[in-house]
Amino acid sequence: MAFIHLDIRCLYTLLICTAFGSTLSSNAEIKVNPPQDFQIVDPGYLGYLYLQWQPPVSLDNFNKCTVEYELKYRNVDSESWRTIITKNLLYKDGFDLNKGVEAKIHTLLPRQCTNGSEVQSSWSEATYWISSQGNLDTKIQDMDCVYYNWQYLLCSWKPGMGAHLDSNYRLYYWYEGLDHVLECIDYIQAKGKNIGCRFPYLESSDYKDFYICVNGSSESQLIRPSYFIFQLQNIVKPLPPDYLSLTMKNSEVNLKWSIPRGPIPAKCLIYEIEFTEDDTAWVTTTIENEIYITRTSNESLQLCFLVRSKMNIYCADDGIWSEWSDEQCWKGFSY
């Protein structure tokens, strides 16, 4: 009986191995082609590019399957790829056009179409570069954009170190929602040259990529364009509070200030308070517009504080501190 039992086990093992080998062999024969006509298309939106492709050839055997695509893309000097899985034939995103763009894509067949294991095609690749006209030192310097009080945007720059005296610059911008790229209509000038732009009211521009290109012209040389991408809520500079009060009760000091004027919601602000007790100063932050502190000594002769504001992490990834408010002080005598 032992001999018969052993024989059955061997036969069972043989059947499993044969079936598993048959599955592997079957999957190994399943192949799919990469997408066709993969390309990176620039519609002229200053860095907002289209990555598009066509289905692979010879998909007749997979008519009942939902074909997917794995797309990877990055700026050329980036250390990491962004990865997207999609069923579509088009994907849009923003890129820094000061650098090249590279992307690759392959076809994916899901497990239910391939006896349980995902099948991938080879990669199809594409690159995109803006023509590098003009020397690098003709680009503008020190681009600085501030969205004052979440109401009006102002950008300024300096001419490139290698730009000739006859050079002048122009600013163009676009964000999703505009039909086409717009040029600045209110330049800031110095000695007849454009050194900045005051933007008009920017409807529905928050929490979107805001694309800017500053290029130039000169009769004696080509000017290298400069590209920038901002999210406007991250460059907001609020107003400081315009009313401060300082009251005391025994050793407890109550500091209170007004919420800055303008459209910024109170929930979007953080405050930095600089407090001085005689010759000792310290700084703290709060999301409220009021704070209580304890005097270090009942013999203090002067207490002062001032406040500044900034967008907080609930409404922006970053922000710019406002100017400091006027100082509010209490002067008295020891008890």
Side-chain angles (χ1 to χ4, degrees), residues 15-302:
L15 289 172
I16 291 176
C17 292
T18 302
F20 181 65
S22 175
T23 300
L24 288 177
S25 176
S26 176
N27 285 343
E29 294 173 358
I30 298 175
K31 293 183 179 180
V32 65
N33 291 312
Q36 302 181 85
D37 302 326
F38 180 45
Q39 56 184 322
I40 301 171
V41 177
D42 186 352
Y45 294 147
L46 312 181
Y48 188 67
L49 303 181
Y50 297 172
L51 292 82
Q52 59 188 43
W53 57 94
Q54 294 299 319
V57 297
S58 304
L59 280 179
D60 295 341
N61 295 330
F62 307 106
N63 289 334
K64 297 181 180 180
C65 294
T66 301
V67 176
E68 295 182 331
Y69 306 96
E70 182 179 19
L71 172 66
K72 292 179 176 287
Y73 60 92
R74 65 180 180 181
N75 275 113
V76 167
D77 66 346
S78 176
E79 295 181 358
S80 60
W81 296 83
R82 290 196 64 181
T83 300
I84 302 295
I85 305 294
T86 180
K87 300 173 185 177
N88 299 322
L89 301 175
L90 173 67
Y91 191 79
K92 305 175 184 180
D93 205 350
F95 296 87
D96 180 359
L97 291 189
N98 297 298
K99 309 164 188 175
V101 177
E102 57 184 347
K104 56 185 180 179
I105 190 169
H106 63 190
T107 312
L108 302 178
L109 292 180
R111 290 180 173 84
Q112 60 267 29
C113 301
T114 58
N115 296 327
S117 64
E118 188 176 73
V119 173
Q120 304 176 353
S121 74
S122 59
W123 290 100
S124 180
E125 300 181 353
T127 59
Y128 180 76
W129 296 81
I130 287 288
S131 177
S132 299
Q133 68 174 27
N135 293 328
L136 195 61
D137 61 1
T138 62
K139 296 176 62 171
I140 62 166
Q141 309 174 79
D142 302 334
M143 180 68 158
D144 183 42
C145 291
V146 179
Y147 200 20
Y148 288 96
N149 208 32
W150 217 340
Q151 291 177 300
Y152 61 96
L153 176 65
L154 188 149
C155 291
S156 60
W157 60 82
K158 295 178 182 177
M161 290 289 291
H164 294 171
L165 292 178
D166 70 335
S167 301
N168 202 4
Y169 296 91
R170 294 184 177 276
L171 180 147
Y172 301 88
Y173 66 96
W174 182 85
Y175 59 89
E176 197 167 4
L178 295 181
D179 294 333
H180 56 274
V181 169
L182 299 177
E183 183 183 354
C184 176
I185 59 174
D186 187 10
Y187 284 109
I188 302 166
Q189 294 191 325
K191 298 180 180 179
K193 304 294 183 181
N194 298 333
I195 61 166
C197 176
R198 300 180 189 90
F199 290 78
Y201 173 68
L202 301 167
E203 185 177 0
S204 303
S205 59
D206 303 327
Y207 300 100
K208 297 178 180 179
D209 286 340
F210 190 93
Y211 299 87
I212 290 177
C213 173
V214 181
N215 62 18
S217 60
S218 167
E219 293 184 359
S220 54
Q221 65 180 160
L222 294 173
I223 303 295
R224 179 78 64 91
S226 298
Y227 295 89
F228 306 89
I229 305 175
F230 297 102
Q231 287 228 333
L232 296 187
Q233 75 277 0
N234 293 334
I235 54 173
V236 169
K237 182 176 182 177
L239 292 172
D242 58 6
Y243 172 77
L244 282 66
S245 70
L246 185 160
T247 58
M248 284 197 311
K249 185 177 181 180
N250 299 324
S251 294
E252 188 175 64
V253 183
N254 173 228
L255 310 178
K256 192 172 183 179
W257 53 92
S258 61
I259 296 170
R261 290 175 289 107
I264 303 176
K267 66 178 182 179
C268 289
L269 292 169
I270 189 173
Y271 302 96
E272 186 171 74
I273 304 98
E274 183 178 288
F275 179 77
T276 303
E277 184 175 2
D278 292 336
D279 296 325
T280 302
W282 52 270
V283 174
T284 188
T285 58
T286 179
I287 59 172
E288 305 294 336
N289 64 320
E290 183 176 16
I291 190 172
Y292 291 87
I293 62 173
T294 302
R295 298 171 64 185
T296 59
S297 171
N298 285 335
E299 298 179 356
S300 301
L301 298 179
Q302 180 170 282

